[in-house]
Amino acid sequence: MAKELKYADKASQEMIKRACDDEIKTVWDRYEEMQPQCGFGTLGICCKNCSMGPCRIDPFGDGPQEGICGANADTIASRNIARMIASGAAAHSDHGRDVAHTLLMAAENPNSDYEVKDPEKLKRVAELYGVKTSERDIREIAADVARAALNEFGQQEGEVMMVKNAPPARQKLWKELGITPRAIDREIVEIMHRTHIGVDTDYKNVIKQSMRVALADGWGGSMIATELSDVLFGSPKPLRATANLGVIDKNYVNIIVHGHEPTLSDIIAVVSMSKELNEKAQKAGAKGINIGGICCTANEILMRHGIAVAGSVMQQELAVLTGAVEVMLVDVQCLYPGLEKVTNCFHTKLVTTSPKAKIPGAEHIEFHEDRAVETATKIIETAIDNFKNRNQENIYIPKNTERLIAGFTAESVFNWLGGKYRSTYRPLNDGVIAGRLRGAAGVIGCSNPNTEYEESHIKMVKELIKNDVVVVTTGCNAISCGKHGLLQPEAAFKYAGKGLQEICAAVGIPPVLHLGSCVDNSRILTVLSNIVAEGGLGDDISQLPVAGAAPEWMSEKAVSIGMYFVASGVYTMIGHPLPMMGSKNLYKYLTDEIEKEVGGKWAFELDPIKAAQKMIAHIDKKRAELKLKPMMYEQAFAPVA
Ligand code: SF4
Ligand code: MSK
């Protein structure tokens, strides 16, 4: 059964032991059973894009070097990466489309359960789309903005408007390269066409369109999801909360919300506070209703409601193992089908809600935005009814929780850094220019049983802040950082270099800033654009002393995110390599040559300390190119050349 987790938070360690004792299989067991994994798949050189195949290229050069159609390793590996990006971009962008639909519905229907919660942000987005705002009702503006956003998915002419948030130099470069996204769905459709048998064979040309797809995600679908979620659910403000499995409370009816889209979870968060439902829970023998989040749904309701986080992606089964979860409520993305078997070992009901994501054996309560409160109420009542079915003898909830601060945005980082009355990135830029701060890094993404759970996330982040690199985080890395105490201001004094410590002390922020969910990586793009706009650090993102990383990545969304950061000019480090090492040419292109074209490139390094040091070396290279002052304080780490 599952191995010991050496670096994971204590609650996960306890629960994995419980899983072993009770012989309940989790993701770690299934990973062990899957060994050895297919070498062709790992190297990215198998193809099943047509039924003459499947074909595979011999990585040692002794066997076939071409598929039946004649495609070589470069073509096959690049097409496989392209299709991963298409899927990742589709997932994020479909999320954005759903939020835009909900905004339109809220704007058109005065009786909707949703309303515009941030009219100021709505007006800023309206300006970008060229929607008139003066002397207009907020609903009219919202309807026009939602329609403009929805139009960007399938439009046949023009460009995705949010690209205009990028620095002018970057926009110009994209135009020259021909990779400015024209429409979101269109770019995804085109890469699926090009990767069909017998279309695009040139690996560089396949990657060129893959960058366009990824940009349509980062500066399109994901940015729409983030911006319109802020409009609809309110822009997050930094707030205090707690994280880890200890937030599950045995005295309460526990509902765990898991997935990605905030349309349902936000309503659940609100409806769960209803007096009537809490009284029902009390009648059932509980003290009330307790909501906890997993994955990016957790991040969404954490940032806006301060709802506690139960865990990251690899804790979804561990939450059920407490025996105290009445309903595991899922929407879309990062849901392990294995949840069904684990919930069957307990009284827990697995409830699916999206017509896009059903799981055999789960109860399906379909969520409709036009009946949001009604559906949320039904789900909560299902959980209350299930409370009586608990086996009280079989409950085991680890005690561990950690305090954190979450909910920074491109705008609120602005306010915090500049002080309440001085909204500016100036102090950040000045800190970098003066050598108090070395630079910034975005550390994001999933966890994967192919690495020690959380080791890479935590070691990398600590190494960066130790060297005066401020870290922004999203997704499951943000949750891991929260569980390990890195999202508290005090973490600066424990782990950060002196320069970063001074900034954190002056402003009262943690050295690691929680910026939200996976689609909120678009907030990082906005932060980078704002730093450029503030001045003094070059005129393009590729000149900034910054780097990105997803040390324990696993999802196709992570590949799309990585590619839009590379195409935006960012050095992007991931742990285990992309599945393309069977193509030497593609490897050389993505990790080296592509930098000459777009200013960013991919890097792979499994050792998190070495990976962080490579990021720091890159940051130092950018500092030298900008002729910035030497670092103010003695360096904790002497970068390798
Ligand atoms: Fe084989 Fe070519 Fe078909 Fe791929 S597209 S399965 S390489 S014949
Ligand atoms: S949830 S995509 S495991 S970060 Fe966004 Fe976590 Fe990765 Fe899913």
Side-chain angles (χ1 to χ4, degrees):
M1 294 300 286
K3 61 180 176 180
E4 200 189 333
L5 304 180
K6 282 189 285 203
Y7 297 93
D9 65 273
K10 295 279 174 281
S12 295
Q13 294 190 19
E14 279 181 42
M15 294 316 290
I16 205 78
K17 182 169 180 319
R18 176 168 215 217
C20 291
D21 293 347
D22 293 355
E23 298 194 349
I24 297 173
K25 268 190 205 169
T26 64
V27 63
W28 287 277
D29 302 300
R30 296 188 295 270
Y31 174 75
E32 291 303 328
E33 283 177 5
M34 197 52 68
Q35 301 312 308
Q37 283 170 288
C38 170
F40 296 99
T42 306
L43 296 172
I45 44 175
C46 74
C47 179
K48 52 181 179 58
N49 288 12
C50 87
S51 79
M52 290 193 284
C55 301
R56 51 195 203 177
I57 304 299
D58 186 306
F60 305 107
D62 303 328
Q65 294 300 298
E66 293 170 347
I68 295 166
C69 68
N72 63 16
D74 302 336
T75 302
I76 290 174
S78 63
R79 287 194 309 210
N80 289 341
I81 297 290
R83 286 189 167 205
M84 291 180 91
I85 291 171
S87 168
H92 282 151
S93 302
D94 210 30
H95 171 166
R97 186 197 329 260
D98 282 350
V99 177
H101 269 299
T102 309
L103 180 63
L104 182 60
M105 191 198 70
E108 287 180 339
N109 178 4
N111 299 320
S112 164
D113 294 334
Y114 300 95
E115 59 181 348
V116 170
K117 293 241 177 78
D118 189 341
E120 289 315 309
K121 181 131 199 187
L122 174 66
K123 286 180 190 162
R124 286 203 297 279
V125 180
E127 208 173 295
L128 186 84
Y129 278 119
V131 169
K132 189 169 163 271
T133 55
S134 62
E135 294 165 34
R136 291 189 78 196
D137 181 71
I138 213 74
R139 283 180 184 281
E140 281 175 20
I141 302 171
D144 282 355
V145 165
R147 282 192 203 100
L150 286 169
N151 185 48
E152 297 210 306
F153 286 85
Q155 70 192 10
Q156 298 305 312
E157 284 170 13
E159 289 169 354
V160 169
M161 289 301 273
M162 293 215 182
V163 159
K164 292 200 185 316
N165 287 329
R170 184 66 16 195
Q171 293 181 48
K172 186 166 169 281
L173 177 69
W174 289 336
K175 258 200 197 332
E176 283 164 9
L177 293 172
I179 57 172
T180 308
R182 297 157 292 187
I184 299 159
D185 292 353
R186 176 178 181 177
E187 304 305 357
I188 297 168
V189 167
E190 186 169 316
I191 199 66
M192 293 308 286
H193 173 195
R194 288 201 201 189
T195 54
H196 185 275
I197 178 187
V199 188
D200 204 349
T201 306
D202 177 348
Y203 69 95
K204 287 191 182 175
N205 208 37
V206 172
I207 295 301
K208 183 176 165 190
Q209 174 61 15
S210 303
M211 286 197 275
R212 207 173 200 180
V213 176
L215 291 171
D217 172 358
W219 299 87
S222 280
M223 207 169 267
I224 288 172
T226 294
E227 299 295 89
L228 298 192
S229 289
D230 285 354
V231 168
L232 201 49
F233 308 116
S235 292
K237 306 253 171 355
L239 46 72
R240 290 183 188 280
T242 49
N244 214 343
L245 295 167
V247 305
I248 296 169
D249 191 324
K250 86 168 179 346
N251 298 311
Y252 283 73
V253 170
N254 290 301
I255 301 171
I256 299 292
V257 290
H258 170 27
H260 276 77
E261 293 187 356
T263 38
L264 169 62
S265 53
D266 201 89
I267 287 282
I268 290 271
V270 173
V271 173
S272 69
M273 289 169 200
S274 109
K275 191 164 169 270
E276 209 176 81
L277 285 170
N278 277 279
E279 281 171 1
K280 265 195 185 171
Q282 283 156 12
K283 275 201 192 116
K287 283 190 178 168
I289 300 157
N290 182 38
I291 310 289
I294 296 268
C295 273
C296 283
T297 287
N299 286 318
E300 298 278 2
I301 54 175
L302 161 70
M303 291 190 295
R304 297 197 174 86
H305 298 280
I307 300 261
V309 176
S312 73
V313 62
M314 289 183 68
Q315 288 175 291
Q316 55 189 284
E317 292 165 308
L318 305 185
V320 176
L321 273 151
T322 60
V325 173
E326 275 56 57
V327 162
M328 168 61 82
L329 184 67
V330 300
D331 51 57
V332 290
Q333 300 171 24
C334 304
L335 326 168
Y336 294 162
L339 268 177
E340 196 265 338
K341 284 211 175 78
V342 182
T343 50
N344 276 345
C345 299
F346 298 89
H347 75 301
T348 307
K349 282 197 175 178
L350 176 61
V351 176
T352 53
T353 53
S354 168
K356 297 173 199 168
K358 292 191 176 182
I359 299 176
E363 182 170 337
H364 189 71
I365 303 179
E366 195 148 306
F367 176 64
H368 297 279
E369 284 82 354
D370 56 350
R371 283 179 272 128
V373 169
E374 185 190 319
T375 324
T377 305
K378 185 173 173 197
I379 290 164
I380 294 172
E381 283 173 341
T382 303
I384 295 171
D385 285 348
N386 198 24
F387 185 75
K388 62 177 180 301
N389 297 322
R390 259 192 202 181
N391 178 354
Q392 296 290 354
E393 311 289 296
N394 198 23
I395 290 179
Y396 181 86
I397 305 173
K399 295 201 171 40
N400 314 68
T401 60
E402 195 56 79
R403 288 175 302 116
L404 57 84
I405 294 182
F408 292 91
T409 61
E411 296 86 353
S412 69
V413 161
F414 217 88
N415 287 325
W416 278 67
L417 290 171
K420 200 168 174 197
Y421 303 105
R422 210 172 139 239
S423 293
T424 169
Y425 273 62
R426 202 65 250 159
L428 173 67
N429 286 32
D430 284 347
V432 173
I433 291 165
R436 184 169 270 116
L437 268 186
R438 189 183 293 266
V443 187
I444 65 146
C446 330
S447 280
N448 187 325
N450 69 2
T451 56
E452 286 287 338
Y453 178 44
E454 298 192 316
E455 180 188 10
S456 297
H457 283 312
I458 302 308
K459 284 188 176 172
M460 174 182 279
V461 169
K462 284 185 178 169
E463 184 67 16
L464 290 166
I465 61 176
K466 185 174 96 182
N467 286 282
D468 291 321
V469 176
V470 65
V471 171
V472 292
T473 175
T474 62
C476 288
N477 176 275
I479 296 173
S480 288
C481 287
K483 289 187 296 167
H484 288 264
L486 294 170
L487 301 185
Q488 302 166 7
E490 305 82 62
F493 306 106
K494 267 190 181 161
Y495 306 113
K498 197 156 184 279
L500 178 54
Q501 261 184 35
E502 284 179 357
I503 291 195
C504 292
V507 196
I509 54 171
V512 184
L513 300 168
H514 180 294
L515 249 71
S517 63
C518 292
V519 291
D520 291 334
N521 286 311
S522 64
R523 295 191 200 276
I524 302 179
L525 297 175
T526 308
V527 167
L528 295 174
S529 303
N530 290 348
I531 296 173
V532 171
E534 189 62 50
L537 292 170
D539 63 359
D540 188 17
I541 293 171
S542 60
Q543 290 177 267
L544 297 176
V546 300
E552 299 182 23
W553 76 280
M554 64 88 192
S555 78
E556 292 169 315
K557 291 178 288 175
V559 186
S560 180
I561 294 166
M563 191 60 103
Y564 70 63
F565 274 105
V566 168
S568 299
V570 178
Y571 174 85
T572 301
M573 169 67 70
I574 60 174
H576 62 275
L578 292 172
M580 52 125 212
M581 298 299 275
S583 160
K584 288 192 186 73
N585 289 328
L586 184 59
Y587 172 77
K588 188 163 180 356
Y589 181 55
L590 289 180
T591 58
D592 180 15
E593 296 160 1
I594 199 170
E595 192 176 23
K596 289 184 196 74
E597 294 171 18
V598 292
K601 65 177 177 181
W602 290 85
F604 313 130
E605 174 57 65
L606 279 170
D607 180 323
I609 303 287
K610 279 192 194 151
Q613 291 182 350
K614 286 180 182 173
M615 293 162 75
I616 293 165
H618 174 82
I619 288 170
D620 282 347
K621 188 176 119 200
K622 293 292 165 184
R623 289 188 64 86
E625 286 169 7
L626 287 165
K627 299 191 173 40
L628 300 183
K629 290 183 187 153
M631 291 301 290
M632 205 173 263
Y633 299 107
E634 198 184 325
Q635 295 172 0
F637 143 75
V640 280

